[in-house]
Amino acid sequence: MKKKILLVEDEKALCLLYEEELSREGYDITAVTDAETALAKLVKTAFDLIITDIRMPGKNGIELITQIMGMRKDIPIIINSAYQSYKEDFMTWAADAYVVKSASLDELKAKIKELLGD
Amino acid sequence: MSELRKDLVSGRWVIIATERSKRPDDFRPPVPAAPAAEAVGFCPFCEGNEGKTPPEVFSLRTTGTAPDSPGWTVRVVPNKFPALTPGPPSPRAAQGVFQSMEGRGVHEVVIENPNHAFELSDLPVGHIRDVLRVFQLRIRGIEQDLHYQYVQIFKNKGKEAGASLSHPHSQIVATPIIPKRVKEEIYGADRLFRTFKECAFCRILREEEAAGTRLIAKNEHFTAFAPYASRFPFEMAIYPRRHSAFFTDVREDELETLAETLKHVLTRLKDTVGDPPFNLVLHQAPNPSLSLKGWPDIHLKSHWHVEIIPILTKVAGFEWGTGFYINPVPPETAAQFLRQP
């Protein structure tokens, strides 16, 4: 069965790109553009992994992952941000990996495989 | 009229703005800000969340408990997303006139206690001593690798001081070069040693103890005072009364007294200006295992000490442009309030 990934990314163009690239890798991708929708999806679906941006309108990615910790501590989370500076926030430790956005998704794909044990 | 004062070792000037002089109550925050971790109910440093940190490099824990599980009292973990990564640094590469090197180094977090709500000053003296002992052990461990020329221990308390998490913690960063500010302190101490024929810090200590106007606390092993050229309101320094360049040389009985001193001054700071954010910085000599060319007698000239900088004012354009600082609370006034029980 396909592994389910929840992608939280406010830029719709990036959502489409990630969906296309990661679906090609054999994952079932659910893309949402804000944290509140992500939390609602998490209640209904047992995702295997979450990828989240940090800077988003409304609740930011760090607030989202810390809230997820109150629901499910075991779900692997990858922070995918364009900014290195958020690494200084120790609340990012709630995530399992921090991948800086890049034109290539190779690092992100490798991290997904590592965390899902593929 | 305001007064210009010069810091003896660094040569830095400050403006003590007496006409802007403020009282401790002027700095009390109206309402303490709610820390993010409490708001969301999760903290990666809390007991039970060990799985969210990288494997511990050291811990003090109850006998029979396994690493990376509950049962610890002080825990040291590498930074999960470090700015510097361990390993030997590559030779410096030049791009035209610009130099660079790989970001090698050590970055560890010392989680001071398992309880999110207990600040360092809330802990029993014995526990604070344990935290200090862990600092010593980690410095010794890191300094065995000669690639690390300087080990910096520091604590950021409160958001305005740079802490992203309110769970009490300190940080250890080891760098493959001796930082510029550390070198400036060594150069200053070296210059003054030639003038005074003794350690400049020992001289400062003797004069502060004799004057008494800036003293905050004094015991058998340590003296806490508001430095003569304090840059910030309620800035404090703790000097060991026994000359020593390296924090790792502090004896067990001295560690206990240092813990008492820290608890006392941090509690006094809290009582005086209402639990302000602060930075605590340990100053010490570089890795003693290095061949410190040019500083063969650094152990005579350098003098480890603790600096505590409450964040009560903002550093702005004038400070960045000139290196001058404007302090609206004379250190004599600060010491007077901090001394009062």
Side-chain angles (χ1 to χ4, degrees):
Chain A
M1 203 165 80
K2 283 184 176 179
K3 298 265 175 77
K4 291 188 175 69
I5 295 178
L6 176 63
L7 171 69
V8 193
E9 169 59 62
D10 64 318
E11 279 190 44
K12 285 181 181 161
L14 270 184
C15 277
L16 289 173
L17 171 74
Y18 280 42
E19 267 186 290
E20 192 182 318
E21 288 263 341
L22 298 178
S23 299
R24 209 178 291 157
E25 298 289 315
Y27 301 117
D28 179 358
I29 309 296
T30 301
V32 297
T33 54
D34 64 86
E36 292 298 347
T37 315
L39 289 166
K41 292 274 182 198
L42 271 164
V43 174
K44 291 179 184 165
T45 310
F47 289 100
D48 298 292
L49 185 139
I50 298 167
I51 301 168
T52 183
D53 191 6
I54 293 183
R55 277 198 191 186
M56 296 184 289
K59 210 169 267 179
N60 69 34
I62 295 175
E63 290 168 307
L64 170 65
I65 58 175
T66 48
Q67 209 159 334
I68 293 170
M69 288 301 104
M71 302 160 69
R72 278 188 64 184
K73 275 189 195 173
D74 58 326
I75 188 161
I77 300 173
I78 300 175
I79 289 175
N80 188 228
S81 167
Y83 302 92
Q84 289 269 8
S85 55
Y86 291 110
K87 286 182 177 179
E88 288 166 26
D89 187 333
F90 289 129
M91 287 304 272
T92 60
W93 287 27
D96 297 272
Y98 192 116
V99 177
V100 176
K101 279 181 185 169
S102 142
S104 159
L105 295 189
D106 290 350
E107 190 188 348
L108 182 65
K109 287 176 190 170
K111 200 49 87 176
I112 293 170
K113 276 188 181 153
E114 182 192 320
L115 290 171
L116 289 177
D118 291 346
Chain B
M1 186 185 286
S2 63
E3 184 176 89
L4 291 175
R5 290 189 184 182
K6 187 181 179 184
D7 181 79
L8 186 64
V9 179
S10 68
R12 181 182 51 227
W13 285 88
V14 301
I15 300 172
I16 306 293
T18 46
E19 66 265 37
R20 290 191 192 185
S21 189
K22 293 186 171 185
R23 297 181 60 80
D25 283 347
D26 295 336
F27 296 104
R28 283 184 182 272
V31 182
E38 283 85 343
V40 295
F42 174 81
C43 165
F45 295 172
C46 278
E47 191 168 35
N49 292 336
E50 290 80 6
K52 284 292 173 189
T53 71
E56 63 198 38
V57 291
F58 184 83
S59 65
L60 296 177
R61 53 172 58 253
T62 312
T63 313
T65 58
D68 302 313
S69 71
W72 51 276
T73 52
V74 184
R75 187 163 181 259
V76 186
V77 294
N79 191 314
K80 192 166 185 174
F81 306 123
L84 298 171
T85 47
S90 69
R92 286 168 195 241
Q95 293 175 3
V97 293
F98 304 110
Q99 287 190 335
S100 69
M101 63 196 300
E102 283 181 334
R104 297 294 189 180
V106 172
H107 190 172
E108 295 176 350
V109 177
V110 180
I111 310 170
E112 293 160 3
N113 81 88
N115 191 317
H116 192 90
F118 289 171
E119 226 339 292
L120 189 64
S121 58
D122 299 329
L123 300 172
V125 168
H127 193 126
I128 301 173
R129 180 207 56 218
D130 288 348
V131 172
L132 298 170
R133 192 188 289 134
V134 169
F135 289 165
Q136 281 189 318
L137 292 167
R138 288 311 301 145
I139 294 170
R140 281 195 200 109
I142 293 166
E143 284 181 339
Q144 281 178 4
D145 187 332
L146 297 186
H147 291 115
Y148 304 127
Q149 298 194 1
Y150 192 73
V151 181
Q152 179 66 64
I153 305 254
F154 63 97
K155 176 177 174 66
N156 301 333
K157 192 241 166 195
K159 200 174 174 187
E160 296 81 358
S164 56
L165 202 56
S166 57
H167 192 127
H169 63 281
S170 308
Q171 298 182 60
I172 304 173
V173 175
T175 56
I177 48 173
I178 300 173
K180 182 175 180 287
R181 196 161 283 184
V182 176
K183 276 188 183 167
E184 282 172 357
E185 191 166 295
I186 295 170
Y187 289 138
D190 187 47
R191 175 176 44 82
L192 292 165
F193 189 87
R194 278 181 267 124
T195 307
F196 297 148
K197 313 289 183 222
E198 68 169 331
C199 162
F201 299 94
C202 289
R203 180 70 175 262
I204 290 169
L205 193 52
R206 209 168 58 239
E207 299 218 359
E208 289 291 1
E209 287 182 357
T213 50
R214 286 175 295 274
L215 276 190
I216 298 165
K218 185 179 147 190
N219 55 42
E220 186 188 356
H221 300 303
F222 294 93
T223 298
F225 59 96
Y228 172 74
S230 290
R231 291 156 292 173
F232 304 101
F234 300 94
E235 180 178 333
M236 298 187 278
I238 302 173
Y239 280 24
R241 301 182 73 202
R242 177 174 72 84
H243 175 84
S244 172
F246 306 103
F247 183 68
T248 45
D249 286 345
V250 179
R251 299 186 311 246
E252 188 62 25
D253 60 326
E254 292 171 326
L255 272 188
E256 180 93 12
T257 322
L258 178 58
E260 279 172 23
T261 312
L262 267 175
K263 186 175 173 74
H264 175 74
V265 300
L266 292 175
T267 304
R268 286 299 307 137
L269 180 68
K270 199 188 271 191
D271 292 347
T272 307
V273 279
D275 203 13
F278 65 82
N279 298 113
L280 184 152
V281 180
L282 178 71
H283 290 241
Q284 60 166 348
N287 188 341
S289 307
L290 292 170
S291 164
L292 292 163
K293 287 176 190 166
W295 302 323
D297 45 7
I298 195 165
H299 61 289
L300 300 174
K301 300 168 180 172
S302 191
H303 192 124
W304 78 265
H305 59 279
V306 174
E307 189 176 59
I308 298 166
I309 301 164
I311 310 298
L312 298 164
T313 51
K314 285 201 174 1
V315 172
F318 178 67
E319 286 84 352
W320 290 122
T322 61
F324 269 68
Y325 290 83
I326 302 176
N327 181 357
V329 180
E332 293 75 13
T333 308
Q336 191 188 341
F337 283 110
L338 290 165
R339 257 196 317 267
Q340 284 169 2

